[in-house]
Structures are given as structure tokens and as C-alpha cells.
Amino acid sequence: MDIFGHNGKILRVDLSRRTIEEEQVPEILYRRYLGGGALSLYYLLKELKPKVDPLGPENLLIFAASAVTGTPALGFSRYTVAAKSPLTGGFGEAEAGGWWGPELKFAGFDAILIKGKAEKPVYLWIKDGKAELRDASHLWGQLAAETHAMIRKELGDDRIRIALIGPGGEKLVRFACISNELKHFNGRVGLGAVMGSKNLKAIAVRGEKKMPLFAPERARSVVKEVLETYKKNPGTMGELGTARAVMPLNAGGILPTRNFVSGSFEKAEAICGETMRDTILVNRGTCYACPIRCKREVKVDDPYKVDPLYGGPEYETIAALGSLCGIGDLKAIAMGNQICGAYGIDTISTGTTIAFAMECFGKGILTTKDTGGIKLEFGNAEAMLQMVEKIGKREGFGNLLAEGAKIAAEKIGKGAENYALHVKGQPLPMHEPRGKTGLGLAYALSPTGADHIEAPHDPMFASEAGLKSILPLGIIEPLSALDLSSRKVRLFSYLQHFYNMFNSIGLCIFTAVPFGPMPCNALVDYVNAATGWETSLWELMKVGERQSSMARIFNLREGFTEEDDHLPNRFFQSLEGGALEGKKIDPSEFKQAVKAYYQMMGWDERGIPLESKLAELELDWLKSERI
Amino acid sequence: MDIFGHNGKILRVDLSRRTIEEEQVPEILYRRYLGGGALSLYYLLKELKPKVDPLGPENLLIFAASAVTGTPALGFSRYTVAAKSPLTGGFGEAEAGGWWGPELKFAGFDAILIKGKAEKPVYLWIKDGKAELRDASHLWGQLAAETHAMIRKELGDDRIRIALIGPGGEKLVRFACISNELKHFNGRVGLGAVMGSKNLKAIAVRGEKKMPLFAPERARSVVKEVLETYKKNPGTMGELGTARAVMPLNAGGILPTRNFVSGSFEKAEAICGETMRDTILVNRGTCYACPIRCKREVKVDDPYKVDPLYGGPEYETIAALGSLCGIGDLKAIAMGNQICGAYGIDTISTGTTIAFAMECFGKGILTTKDTGGIKLEFGNAEAMLQMVEKIGKREGFGNLLAEGAKIAAEKIGKGAENYALHVKGQPLPMHEPRGKTGLGLAYALSPTGADHIEAPHDPMFASEAGLKSILPLGIIEPLSALDLSSRKVRLFSYLQHFYNMFNSIGLCIFTAVPFGPMPCNALVDYVNAATGWETSLWELMKVGERQSSMARIFNLREGFTEEDDHLPNRFFQSLEGGALEGKKIDPSEFKQAVKAYYQMMGWDERGIPLESKLAELELDWLKSERI
């Protein structure tokens, strides 16, 4: 079984019954679903009944690495957490890098399936092929860093990797996250709340097993070549992290500002990657086997205490807690990032939800009466920080925002819905669809709601030079970032297959093309060297395509319709200020693009996968699940 | 331009105006269509008006090699001839190996587009980048070998490669073929008649240019590895040729016998590859750069004179002139093969059309009155040989059969249509759909009518061992040859993409998997080494998929409908005798499979490609051509 480079074992945990079982997974399942998102969907579709309460014991919480995770190559550090999302009510999935995924494999397991609810708080401890549930009553209520330290201490091993939730997850904040090593986040769709609903505080893993490789020399030679390419042209990802995006996006008029009213922020420079490097950055972190070191570690002493323990803000966080809230104070953003990390809440949804409230406040829909006295105005950093903490604690007005912008807006009423910018209940990440139409499609069509890594973004493919890295996908001609023709739909759908495959195989987007140094064909070579599968980009892209149709069916079962494949109205209105001032998306053109996507995917005009398309994707077993 | 290993030039010949022009083809066209069938379809769809007379001057006759043809690797010897078919009235296309395709490239051209009609017979002479039309009045009426010798003699070069027609093409036999080196045939759909209708007797080519390779060392290393694999395990293709299939097919009950009434022939052994090897075989021929040497050269002195000049019968010929006509006489078959070669008529259609007439004769629908005294009975070798020659000459009853089984049956009436086994007017090749359901789909769905190399056949994939070579396509689970579920449809459609790609890139099916030693991934490597394209199996498979939708639109324009995607009734009735006695195809199951195929292809329920599927395949320009 080990010929294909993984253990082939999953762990099934029933928290209600306190049972733990091992199960061997047939190799064919790995080949068809790889791991991550697609493998999680396989189990969710097989084992989760539709319409269950996402925060009830029936929900199935899955941690899934891939057949290749933890093999010694840059990028294969990521793992998926999946469940029915309490934020969207549909397929919930988020990946994280770091060290936890590889360590799970070293400990002998590829995935963990968790159902039920523990009577009292517990954590799961997996070591070298053995697993046990341990009491976590003393950890309940602890912040992330404290929890992390206490578990390591009580298990007596500093090399244990821990995925955990903070008080936000315990209190069922609908966008609570899960973190590992305090700095790597399964950020979105509220999976921390699912974990909290099960009374599961953490999963600690430790193992000594090394991943076998089918053709070790070949694998090493592929990695060596990629690393040499990287060394020759390292780019700025290591130096500036994802925050390198702030200045170019602002210059392009697509840095989300003041709840997406504008794409241009007058204080962009104060919060950009270069400023971070020159001021608060103290170290660069990384993930398993990766030389890029894109993660930030920042330290602030005054006026806030920010500890490098929680890493530092990514671009998404900087924009969400910064420009989106009109805040140009990097230290405040770093502090907000730390609070989110400590309480275990998603920085993107936190920032977006606060920005939504700020716009409502500015419009008079909310007043200090509602907010408990907080002047929730754009640009008010203190107000932002107070709200972040209140959300993490579900305290006061934070208790309402902890429901997410969509539910909060419904409860507020008075037209607040117009300012809650979400798709399928998931608040928008920090990319402006009016300046990147493919991203707009990604937001509308991602099964997890607005998601910024559903596919790489349009501007990368607006020039021949930009296209070069994805030539193997058969995309040959450049396309304007503003194009919304069927050619853009094709580009998006191919890229979505591609990134779905990354998701399922647990590969970081910053290591492989178009962002990173690993070419498509080297990726295929590496997977073959690791597994012995003799796979191809054709087969791997088909895994990606398969994943979309599986997720679609998950959402159809939950009652989603084509009406949910939309963008908030704001994006059909003009951008204010900046390089793209006045730019808006044409709604009928957008609708047509969504319909074109359905056709390209082999779905009917309502977005329901056709029976024979399912068969083509080896998803015959989902035929009867389509409604 | 040469960075991608070809010249990028096509030659446009207008025979009516006697003009010859060169045209540079943009690299992107090669990348999208590669060459062969897909590139031909590009020009046919752009430049040929629908509903023209296939034998009129408006028809466009295309000879097309590929971006890779003629580079020094086994298998890349093939070229396509395409036009509107006089046999089917739809897309007509046939490939041949040999030496002509590479020589065309050495002479400086990738393809030739021929329109109009010469006032008097001519031939085209292309040497080292220059082309001229020469008088062929003295060649008109000559058999193939004489024509070949006369052209070589008058041009004074024995290394000239010549594609030519025989009297069959001149006389517009609807299944006349084109041959090169007398032994390699663009056999099917009547392209020889199109050439004849244009008064074009031959195209002679000679060139000194060598094909540049983008990465010569890498290319050589891929080829070296493939050749080593081949040497280690050469199989029986070289030793027995395609005739190696006779005995296993007969044992499996699927050797077409007596016009497909049976799948078992009592005299199979007398006509099999082993018998040929041990009796009449004098040499093994081959194609450019290929070590397999699967071509036969046979010699018979008595009772017929068969010259090795015309090669020897392939499996298709052996079955068509042999078992299908109930004839167990290998020498007679060899003689029939020679007559077909000399007159330039397709052995498959010739044999099938004669077998059809034999069955009619047996049923009393035809009598010696109709046949000019020939006792056209199953098993009568002399009658078969007489008919072959009469068809080639369009003499007597042969003049009717020269119209093809479909038209002949319509003219004969009296229920003769029941015995004319064709799809879209093209007689069935020598494979039994009742024993290979995917082949049945291939017959029904091939745009050129019943075609046996639309995809590799079912039995290859009925075991895990058989599947091994196509793992990169993502086909993992074996499927019975008799399975007709949507899983078989998927298998067929993927294999069809794969073989379409072979067709377009000019690759012989006996050199690459599943038949030959070149693995999928080595093929991709080689194409990249030759062209520098950084392509992938994903992109190459998409070329194959593209080709199917292009051909579909060609046929829709010509008035074909989903009613034409059928099999003759015989195959819904029981096989008689042999291992599969009683086996029949269920008609509603078959219909359902055809519909499933449409869905998988992104076509509507009538088999019309959906608008956005066309866009996905970069065929937006065909949107308005769909009806």
C-alpha cells in the first residue's frame, strides 16, 4: 500500500460515543480524490445527511491531508478542514499550511473524520499511530497561545503540532477559525465553530514516520530543479509576504477600501508590505519544507503589545482590518490580527463584518445605542479593535456581528442588507471584482461563498508573459482583467480545476505556478515520483473538475439554487475614486457568464450537474443526490 | 518560427486557375489544432461552403502533416487527407503512414490545400520549397505502380515520395483511396475520388530540409528510452503485422464473417498472420523512423501473380476480402489486396460492399443477371477477385458497387438495404460491435462513419493489466468489453480524445500506448522537446476533444442529425456461431449511451454542441455554424 507514498489510513472519531477507529482507504479513492477538498467531499456526500444543523452533533468535521502531504517538497504542507458550514449552510472548507498536516501523516494518518459531540470539552491526541481523547476542561476558555502551551506542556513534547480553537470557536462565532502553530489558519466558513460545537478544543499530533516515496531520486531531482529556479528568481513573496500586494492593488484602483465603496486608499503606504518590513517585522516564518518563508512575524510594544507568537498580518488581514475599515495604522492592524488569532476568528470575515457595521453606522442605520457606545466609524482603529475582541467574546454588539454580516444585517434591518457584502453568507475577501472579472465569477461560483483562492486572479493573465506559466493548461491568449466574455469564463473554469487540484493535493498556491516556481509539468512529475501513479495533468485537472461538481451537489442538497450564484449589488454600481473610478460590472453580462460557466461544467441551465457529466467524472453515485 | 520544430508554411493550390501560393501559418493555429484532422477541419470549416458537391471543383482537398511530423521519432510519420466525403456526404478524413508526410515537411510545407479542378490531368511536384503543376495526361488510366515508376523516372529521382490515385480514383469510385509508396493508404471515405474529380493524379514531394527540434537532446533521450522499452518487449506486431489479430478475434467470436452474420470463421487459420508469415511473406516494410516494421510484403506466383511492390494485406483487408466474404484463401486475399492497390480502392469498403452483394445474392435479391454472370456466393474467391477489378474499373455490376453499399442497396431495392452494413454511408470495418460495445459507439459516433481507429477497442481495457498503459487518462477501473453503461461511454470519449490527438499530431497508433511502447507522458515530453511548447496531456486531450466538436459541426452543416448516429439493425440481432453466439446489443441501451455521449461532450440532446462548450474549446467562431 505504501508504494504510493502515504499510509492510506483514516481515523474515525465519534465524540458522542468516545470511540476511535482506524480505517484503511483504498488507493483508488486517493487517486480519484487525492485528499483535501475532494476527499472531504467524498465523505461528506456519503456520510452526512442533508439539512443537519451545522452546529449540531450530526455535522461531520473532517481534517484531510493528501496522498502527497508531508513528502519532502516545498508546498505540500497543506491540509483541509471541511464540514457543513455554519456561516453559509453549504459546503464548508478551508485549508491551512504550517506543520500540522505533515505531522498528521508522520503520525500515521491521512485524515480524521469526527462526528458527534463530546459531553465535556476534550482534545484529541495522536501519536505514532495511536489516538486518544483527553480531557480539555481546563483548556476551555483559554486563548490560543495559552492552550497551545498548556497542551505541549502536559504532553511533555515541544515538537507536538496542534490544531486548535480559541474562545471564538467555543462560543460558536459563525466565522471562527482553526489554527495550527498559532500562525496558520483554516480561516474561513466557520469551521472553528463546528469544532467548538463538538466540544473539541484541539487536535495534537506527533509522529516519527517518514513518508515513503515511490521514486526518491526522481522526486529529489524535481524538487532540486524547482529550488534552483526559485533561487535564481525569488521574487518578493519572501521579502514582503502577501502584503506585497497592497501597493500594486492600490495603484490599480482595486484595494478594497471603506467596505468596497472605493478601490483606492489614501493611507495604503502606511499599511503596505514594505512598511511592515521596515517597521514591525521581526522574523519570517514558513511551512514544512518551504524555502519561501512568506509568513510574517511582527512585534509591537506601543501602544499595543503584539507578540510574534501569533505571526503577523497577511495581505487579507491588512486590507480587511485596514483599508476596508478606512484604517491606515499598521500597528492597530497587527493588534487586530493578534486578537483574531488569540480568539480564533477569521480576520477576513471579522474585518468585513466590522466594515459593514461601520458603513451602517455612517448611514445612521446603527448608532452608539446599538454598538454599546462604540463610535464605529471608518478610520477609528480603537473602535475596530474593541469590536474584534467583542466578536471573539460574543460580547455586547459583538454577539450580533459574530453571527456574520448576513444574519446581522437581517436582524438590523433598515436596509442594512445593502451593505453586507457576502456571497452565500460568506463575506467578501479583499479583492475587488469590478477590477478582476474572473475573481467576480470565483466569488459568485465558489461553493464555499466568496473565496479569493478559488482560482488565480485575472491580472496575472492579461499579458503573454503572465500566461507563460500556465501554457500547459492550453490557455494561450492573454485576456484583459476586465474581459467578461466566454473566453474569461473558460480561463476561470480551467484555473478553478487547477486550484481545486492544489486544494485536494494539499499544495500551496505560492509554491507552484502561476505564483510560485514549480511548473505544471514538474508538479505532475513530482506527484508521479512520489506515488508511482503515472498520472498526468489531464487526470489531475479532472480531479479539480470533479471537486466542483461534488461541491455543487452538496450545496444543491442543502437548498442552494442558481440564485445564490450572485454578487452583491455594490459591484454592479460604480467604483468611487482611484484608477478604476466609475467601473462597474454589467449585470446581464455577468449573468450570462454564470450561465456559460454552467454549460462548460456540464451543468444544466439551473446549475444542476447533468447525469452523464457526473458519470464522466466518475460521480455516478451522486446521480440521485442532485435535488 | 522554427523554434517549434516545423516550417509553418502551407501551400494553396487552385487547380482551376493553376495558381500556387504559399502561406505562413501562425504558431497558435498549430498549437490549437496540431495538424492532421483538426487542422484540416479548421480550414474546411473556414473555407468550404456547406452542401457543395464532394466531387465538384468547390470541394477542398487537404493534405496535412503536423507540427511534429517528420521529426526523428518513431510514429510521427502520418499525415491526413481530408475533404467533404463523396461516400458519406460529411467530413471525410483518412490518414496514412509511410514516407510521404515527412518528405512533405522536408520539402518545406506542413500542408497543402487544393481547390478547383484542372482542365486536364495534372500532378503536383514539390521540391525544396518550390511547387509546380505538371501534365499528367500520359499517367491518366495507369495503375498505381506504373504511375509511381513513370513519375520517378521523369523527375529523375528515386527518392521522390508520391501520393497518387489509381483508375478507381479517376473513375470516382466512391471509396477510392490515395496511396503513397504504393503500400500506405489514406484508405477510407473516398478521398481518391475527390482527387480524381480534380484531375489530380499525384503529388510528388522531395526535400532536403531537416526538422529542427527545440530541445534535441531531450527529444533523443525520450526516443531512446522508448526504443529500449520496445526492444525489451517487442510483442508480435512486427512479426505478424496487424494480421496477428485474426486468431484471437476468431477465438473470441468476433471475427466478422459472412457479412457480419457470424463472428467465427471455420477457415480463420488459413488466413491468419502466422500463416502469412509462414507462407507468402517475403519482407517486412515500415514507415519513417519506425523500428516496428509492421507492414507486410508478400509474394505469390501461383495461381496469381502478387508482387511485393504493393505490400501485403493488413488485418482489415484479410477480414474484408476473406472471412467477411467467407473466403479462406490467403493467396486470393493477397491478390485482391494487390488489385485494390493497383486501382486505388479501399480494401475495407471493397470487401464489405462485395460481402453485402454476396448476401443479397444468397437471398435471391441479386442474381447472375445483375452481376453479369458472376456467381457472387460466399466463399467464391474467383468471384470476389472479379468483382474487385470490376469495381476498380467501374465495369458492369462493379459500376453499381462502386457507388458504395448504401447507394447500391438503394438502387437494388427489394430489402437490400438490410444487408448494406454502413454508418453514414461508410461500410463497417472488420470489428464486431456486438463483442466490443465501445467500438459500436465509435462506429455510430465517428464523424466519418464507421471507423475502427476512432478509439482503441474495448478488450484492451477489460483487465487491470490492460488499463495500465492509459492510467494517465484517469481510467483506473477495468470494464468488460460488453459493458455499455455510462462508464463505457466515458472510456470511449476519453479514448476518442486521445486518438483524435494522435490523428492531429500525425502519430501512429502502433507506436504509442495502448498498442505501442511510447507511454502517454513520454509522448507529452517528446512533443515538448520537439516544439518547446510546454504543453501537457490536458492540452493535447483538449485538441482531441476540439476535433470531435469541429467535425460534428461540419456534419451538422451538411444536414446530418442524431438519426445518423446509429448502427445497422444487424447488430441488434443475435450473432450466429462462435464464442459470442446469441449476443446482441440492446437498442435502447445503445441509444441511451449515445445520449450520454452527447452530454459528456457538451452537446445538447440532439447532438448539437452547446454555445459555451464551443467557447471552452476555443471554437467560438463556430457558434453561428451550428445548424
Side-chain angles (χ1 to χ4, degrees):
Chain A
M1 195 53 153
D2 272 351
I3 61 156
F4 56 99
H6 69 90
N7 310 292
K9 267 192 221 157
I10 62 168
L11 204 60
R12 287 181 177 274
V13 179
D14 185 331
L15 291 170
S16 301
R17 300 182 180 194
R18 291 190 71 96
T19 58
I20 300 181
E21 286 163 11
E22 279 184 29
E23 186 176 304
Q24 190 70 35
V25 177
E27 180 170 355
I28 200 168
L29 274 195
Y30 282 96
R31 185 155 186 162
R32 234 173 239 153
Y33 306 108
L34 293 174
L39 189 67
S40 297
L41 276 161
Y42 173 79
Y43 286 110
L44 287 171
L45 287 162
K46 287 264 181 191
E47 303 187 9
L48 188 67
K49 277 192 215 125
K51 313 270 184 186
V52 303
D53 175 4
L55 297 175
E58 305 89 343
N59 202 356
L60 182 62
L61 180 68
I62 300 176
F63 290 69
S66 88
V68 190
T69 311
T71 60
L74 68 169
F76 288 104
S77 64
R78 292 174 76 79
Y79 70 100
T80 275
V81 181
K84 177 170 173 178
S85 163
L87 190 61
T88 70
F91 174 53
E93 195 270 348
E95 309 109 70
W99 308 77
W100 191 90
E103 196 74 27
L104 176 67
K105 299 268 300 196
F106 304 157
F109 298 98
D110 294 350
I112 311 170
L113 273 57
I114 300 160
K115 64 178 182 182
K117 177 182 178 175
E119 212 179 325
K120 290 185 301 177
V122 293
Y123 71 95
L124 181 63
W125 166 223
I126 302 173
K127 190 183 180 197
D128 286 326
K130 289 184 182 153
E132 60 175 312
L133 288 169
R134 295 176 62 102
D135 178 55
S137 305
H138 55 303
L139 303 172
W140 210 247
Q142 297 291 341
L143 298 179
E146 283 70 15
T147 306
H148 196 255
M150 286 164 79
I151 291 176
R152 277 196 173 170
K153 196 174 169 199
E154 75 186 43
L155 294 175
D157 182 348
D158 266 2
R159 292 193 299 167
I160 289 169
R161 308 295 181 180
I162 306 163
L164 55 77
I165 57 169
E170 297 171 16
K171 290 180 186 291
L172 312 182
V173 173
R174 282 188 192 271
F175 44 89
C177 65
I178 298 166
S179 65
N180 77 81
E181 303 301 289
L182 306 177
K183 304 178 189 71
H184 305 275
F185 301 90
N186 303 91
R188 308 221 71 203
V189 299
L191 296 159
V194 177
M195 198 158 157
S197 76
K198 297 191 171 307
N199 270 335
L200 180 65
K201 179 72 176 176
I203 303 178
V205 293
R206 184 78 178 95
E208 297 287 352
K209 196 174 159 86
K210 284 284 159 278
M211 291 303 98
L213 292 168
F214 178 81
E217 266 184 56
R218 179 79 196 122
R220 275 190 288 269
S221 115
V222 174
V223 172
K224 196 177 157 211
E225 203 170 316
V226 172
L227 290 178
E228 276 164 13
T229 307
Y230 175 68
K231 270 177 211 154
K232 272 183 216 150
N233 185 14
T236 56
M237 184 61 86
E239 186 194 340
L240 302 177
T242 52
R244 68 178 184 169
V246 172
M247 293 310 287
L249 290 180
N250 193 53
I254 47 176
L255 178 69
T257 300
R258 295 186 186 82
N259 205 30
F260 282 97
V261 166
S262 176
S264 170
F265 183 45
E266 64 285 1
K267 295 179 185 166
E269 205 172 340
I271 60 173
C272 74
E274 292 81 348
T275 301
M276 184 165 28
R277 176 196 61 197
D278 298 340
T279 57
I280 62 175
L281 188 75
V282 293
N283 197 15
R284 287 161 50 189
T286 192
C287 300
Y288 173 76
C290 185
I292 298 176
R293 301 176 62 211
C294 73
K295 310 298 288 182
R296 306 291 91 177
E297 295 181 6
V298 301
K299 187 165 187 294
V300 178
D301 294 311
D302 184 61
Y304 320 102
K305 284 271 178 212
V306 177
D307 192 312
L309 209 57
Y310 283 108
E314 297 284 342
Y315 161 73
E316 296 295 326
T317 308
I318 290 173
L321 301 178
S323 57
L324 201 75
C325 293
I327 293 169
D329 177 345
L330 190 55
K331 291 180 180 176
I333 292 167
M335 184 61 191
N337 183 64
Q338 174 167 282
I339 303 172
C340 285
Y343 282 88
I345 55 177
D346 171 33
T347 58
I348 299 176
S349 291
T350 301
T352 317
T353 305
I354 292 172
F356 146 75
M358 284 176 166
E359 188 166 7
C360 290
F361 194 90
K363 302 269 181 205
I365 296 169
L366 292 172
T367 66
T368 45
K369 264 196 203 168
D370 302 294
T371 63
I374 299 174
K375 283 200 176 167
L376 213 46
E377 288 164 336
F378 283 125
N380 186 342
E382 288 310 315
M384 177 272 284
L385 289 174
Q386 285 173 42
M387 280 317 306
V388 173
E389 191 161 344
K390 283 182 185 296
I391 291 169
K393 292 178 170 170
R394 266 197 185 266
E395 190 181 274
F397 186 60
N399 192 37
L400 180 63
L401 294 190
E403 293 294 296
K406 184 188 171 198
I407 294 175
E410 284 162 10
K411 291 196 175 168
I412 293 165
K414 309 178 206 166
E417 291 92 337
N418 295 323
Y419 311 108
L421 304 182
H422 67 87
V423 179
K424 302 183 175 71
Q426 163 123 299
L428 260 62
M430 296 302 104
H431 301 272
E432 172 54 72
R434 281 166 289 194
K436 313 175 186 179
T437 53
L439 170 87
L441 289 172
Y443 282 173
L445 291 162
S446 165
T448 56
D451 181 352
H452 63 292
I453 49 172
E454 189 73 6
H457 300 177
D458 313 61
M460 307 190 88
F461 311 110
S463 72
E464 274 190 40
L467 272 178
K468 205 172 172 314
S469 68
I470 56 156
L471 281 174
L473 303 190
I475 309 284
I476 309 172
E477 286 176 312
L479 264 186
S480 153
L482 304 180
D483 182 293
L484 194 47
S485 69
S486 53
R487 296 172 67 216
K488 177 58 72 66
V489 181
R490 171 182 185 253
L491 174 66
F492 165 66
S493 73
Y494 280 24
L495 292 171
Q496 187 189 38
H497 300 346
F498 194 51
Y499 263 29
N500 277 352
M501 179 262 284
F502 281 28
N503 170 320
S504 290
I505 207 161
L507 178 63
C508 173
I509 61 166
F510 296 143
T511 52
V513 295
F515 267 112
M518 187 186 287
C520 293
N521 290 336
L523 168 57
V524 177
D525 276 0
Y526 182 76
V527 174
N528 281 326
T531 60
W533 279 346
E534 296 182 54
T535 186
S536 70
L537 193 61
W538 167 264
E539 188 182 16
L540 294 177
M541 289 282 281
K542 282 285 167 184
V543 178
E545 189 181 350
R546 182 175 294 135
Q547 184 175 332
S548 288
S549 279
M550 293 171 86
R552 187 76 185 176
I553 286 178
F554 186 99
N555 284 348
L556 290 168
R557 293 199 319 186
E558 297 296 342
F560 285 80
T561 71
E562 72 268 37
E563 299 300 319
D564 296 296
D565 299 333
H566 74 118
L567 279 180
N569 280 334
R570 173 145 291 169
F571 301 100
F572 304 110
Q573 292 155 8
S574 295
L575 252 176
E576 292 179 16
L580 281 185
E581 166 132 44
K583 176 71 190 142
K584 56 185 170 182
I585 296 173
D586 179 83
S588 72
E589 208 185 346
F590 191 78
K591 189 86 183 161
Q592 202 177 341
V594 169
K595 296 283 179 191
Y597 172 85
Y598 293 169
Q599 274 196 3
M600 290 187 199
M601 295 299 286
W603 299 353
D604 73 11
E605 69 286 352
R606 292 181 301 148
I608 299 172
L610 294 165
E611 185 173 324
S612 299
K613 183 66 191 184
L614 288 180
E616 193 240 291
L617 296 171
E618 300 193 278
L619 299 174
D620 328 46
W621 55 279
L622 285 173
K623 265 194 311 201
S624 53
E625 301 281 338
R626 284 180 300 159
I627 298 157
Chain B
M1 197 52 153
D2 272 350
I3 60 155
F4 56 98
H6 70 89
N7 309 292
K9 267 193 222 158
I10 62 168
L11 203 61
R12 287 181 176 274
V13 179
D14 185 331
L15 291 169
S16 301
R17 300 182 179 192
R18 292 189 69 96
T19 57
I20 299 181
E21 286 164 10
E22 279 184 27
E23 187 176 304
Q24 189 71 36
V25 177
E27 180 171 355
I28 199 169
L29 274 195
Y30 281 96
R31 184 156 187 162
R32 233 173 239 153
Y33 307 109
L34 292 174
L39 190 67
S40 297
L41 276 161
Y42 173 79
Y43 286 110
L44 287 171
L45 287 162
K46 287 264 181 192
E47 303 187 11
L48 187 67
K49 277 191 213 126
K51 313 269 183 187
V52 303
D53 175 3
L55 297 174
E58 306 89 343
N59 202 355
L60 182 63
L61 181 66
I62 300 176
F63 289 70
S66 87
V68 189
T69 310
T71 59
L74 68 169
F76 288 105
S77 65
R78 292 175 76 80
Y79 69 100
T80 275
V81 182
K84 177 170 172 178
S85 163
L87 190 62
T88 70
F91 174 53
E93 195 270 347
E95 309 108 69
W99 309 78
W100 191 91
E103 196 74 28
L104 176 67
K105 299 268 301 200
F106 303 157
F109 297 98
D110 294 351
I112 311 171
L113 273 57
I114 301 161
K115 65 178 181 181
K117 178 183 179 173
E119 210 179 327
K120 290 185 303 178
V122 294
Y123 71 95
L124 180 63
W125 166 223
I126 303 173
K127 190 183 178 195
D128 287 326
K130 289 184 181 151
E132 61 174 312
L133 288 168
R134 295 177 61 101
D135 178 52
S137 305
H138 56 303
L139 303 172
W140 210 246
Q142 296 291 341
L143 298 178
E146 284 71 14
T147 307
H148 196 254
M150 287 164 78
I151 291 176
R152 277 197 172 169
K153 196 174 169 198
E154 76 185 45
L155 295 175
D157 183 347
D158 266 1
R159 292 193 299 166
I160 289 168
R161 308 295 181 180
I162 306 165
L164 55 77
I165 57 169
E170 297 171 14
K171 289 178 188 293
L172 311 181
V173 173
R174 282 190 191 268
F175 44 90
C177 65
I178 299 167
S179 65
N180 77 81
E181 304 300 288
L182 305 177
K183 303 178 191 71
H184 305 276
F185 301 90
N186 303 90
R188 309 221 70 203
V189 299
L191 297 159
V194 177
M195 199 158 156
S197 76
K198 298 193 169 308
N199 269 333
L200 179 64
K201 180 69 176 175
I203 304 178
V205 293
R206 183 79 179 92
E208 297 286 354
K209 194 175 162 86
K210 284 284 160 280
M211 289 305 95
L213 291 168
F214 178 81
E217 265 185 58
R218 179 79 194 123
R220 275 190 288 271
S221 115
V222 174
V223 172
K224 197 177 155 210
E225 203 169 317
V226 172
L227 290 178
E228 276 165 12
T229 306
Y230 176 67
K231 271 178 211 155
K232 271 182 217 153
N233 185 15
T236 56
M237 183 62 86
E239 186 194 339
L240 302 177
T242 51
R244 69 178 183 168
V246 173
M247 293 310 288
L249 290 180
N250 194 54
I254 48 176
L255 177 67
T257 300
R258 295 186 185 84
N259 205 32
F260 282 97
V261 166
S262 176
S264 169
F265 184 44
E266 64 284 2
K267 295 179 184 167
E269 203 171 341
I271 60 173
C272 72
E274 292 82 350
T275 301
M276 183 164 31
R277 176 195 62 195
D278 298 339
T279 57
I280 62 176
L281 187 75
V282 294
N283 197 15
R284 288 161 48 190
T286 192
C287 300
Y288 173 76
C290 184
I292 298 176
R293 301 175 63 212
C294 74
K295 310 298 288 182
R296 306 291 90 179
E297 295 182 6
V298 301
K299 189 166 185 292
V300 179
D301 295 311
D302 184 60
Y304 321 102
K305 285 274 180 207
V306 177
D307 193 312
L309 209 58
Y310 283 108
E314 298 283 344
Y315 162 74
E316 295 295 326
T317 309
I318 290 172
L321 301 178
S323 55
L324 201 76
C325 293
I327 292 168
D329 177 344
L330 190 56
K331 291 179 178 176
I333 292 168
M335 184 62 191
N337 183 63
Q338 174 166 282
I339 303 172
C340 286
Y343 282 89
I345 54 178
D346 171 34
T347 58
I348 299 176
S349 291
T350 301
T352 316
T353 306
I354 292 172
F356 146 74
M358 284 177 166
E359 188 165 9
C360 290
F361 195 90
K363 301 270 182 204
I365 296 169
L366 292 171
T367 67
T368 46
K369 265 196 199 166
D370 303 293
T371 63
I374 299 174
K375 282 198 174 168
L376 212 48
E377 289 165 333
F378 282 125
N380 186 342
E382 289 309 316
M384 177 273 284
L385 289 173
Q386 285 175 43
M387 280 317 307
V388 173
E389 190 160 347
K390 283 182 185 297
I391 291 170
K393 292 178 169 171
R394 268 198 183 264
E395 190 180 272
F397 185 60
N399 192 37
L400 180 64
L401 295 191
E403 292 294 298
K406 183 189 173 197
I407 295 175
E410 283 162 9
K411 291 195 177 166
I412 294 164
K414 306 178 209 166
E417 291 92 336
N418 295 323
Y419 311 109
L421 305 181
H422 67 88
V423 178
K424 301 182 175 70
Q426 163 122 299
L428 259 64
M430 297 302 104
H431 301 272
E432 172 54 72
R434 281 166 289 193
K436 314 174 187 179
T437 52
L439 171 87
L441 289 172
Y443 283 174
L445 291 162
S446 164
T448 57
D451 182 351
H452 63 292
I453 49 173
E454 189 73 6
H457 301 177
D458 312 60
M460 307 189 88
F461 312 109
S463 71
E464 274 190 39
L467 272 178
K468 204 172 173 315
S469 68
I470 57 157
L471 281 174
L473 304 190
I475 309 283
I476 309 173
E477 286 178 311
L479 262 186
S480 154
L482 303 180
D483 182 293
L484 193 47
S485 69
S486 53
R487 295 173 67 214
K488 178 58 72 68
V489 181
R490 171 182 185 252
L491 175 66
F492 165 66
S493 73
Y494 281 22
L495 291 171
Q496 187 189 39
H497 301 345
F498 194 50
Y499 265 28
N500 276 352
M501 178 262 283
F502 281 28
N503 170 319
S504 290
I505 207 161
L507 178 64
C508 174
I509 61 166
F510 296 143
T511 52
V513 295
F515 267 113
M518 187 186 288
C520 293
N521 290 336
L523 168 57
V524 177
D525 275 0
Y526 181 77
V527 173
N528 281 326
T531 60
W533 278 347
E534 296 182 55
T535 186
S536 70
L537 193 61
W538 168 264
E539 187 181 17
L540 294 177
M541 288 282 281
K542 282 285 169 187
V543 178
E545 189 181 351
R546 182 175 293 136
Q547 183 175 333
S548 288
S549 279
M550 293 173 86
R552 187 76 186 178
I553 286 178
F554 186 100
N555 284 349
L556 290 169
R557 292 200 319 186
E558 298 296 342
F560 285 79
T561 71
E562 72 269 34
E563 299 299 319
D564 296 295
D565 299 333
H566 74 118
L567 278 181
N569 279 333
R570 172 143 293 168
F571 302 99
F572 304 111
Q573 292 155 7
S574 294
L575 253 174
E576 294 180 13
L580 282 184
E581 166 132 44
K583 175 72 190 142
K584 55 184 171 183
I585 296 172
D586 179 82
S588 72
E589 207 184 346
F590 191 78
K591 189 85 184 165
Q592 201 178 342
V594 168
K595 295 284 178 190
Y597 172 85
Y598 293 169
Q599 274 196 3
M600 290 187 198
M601 295 297 287
W603 300 352
D604 72 11
E605 69 286 352
R606 292 182 300 150
I608 299 172
L610 294 166
E611 185 173 324
S612 299
K613 184 66 192 185
L614 288 180
E616 193 240 290
L617 295 170
E618 300 193 279
L619 298 173
D620 328 45
W621 55 280
L622 286 173
K623 265 193 311 201
S624 53
E625 302 279 339
R626 283 181 299 160
I627 298 155

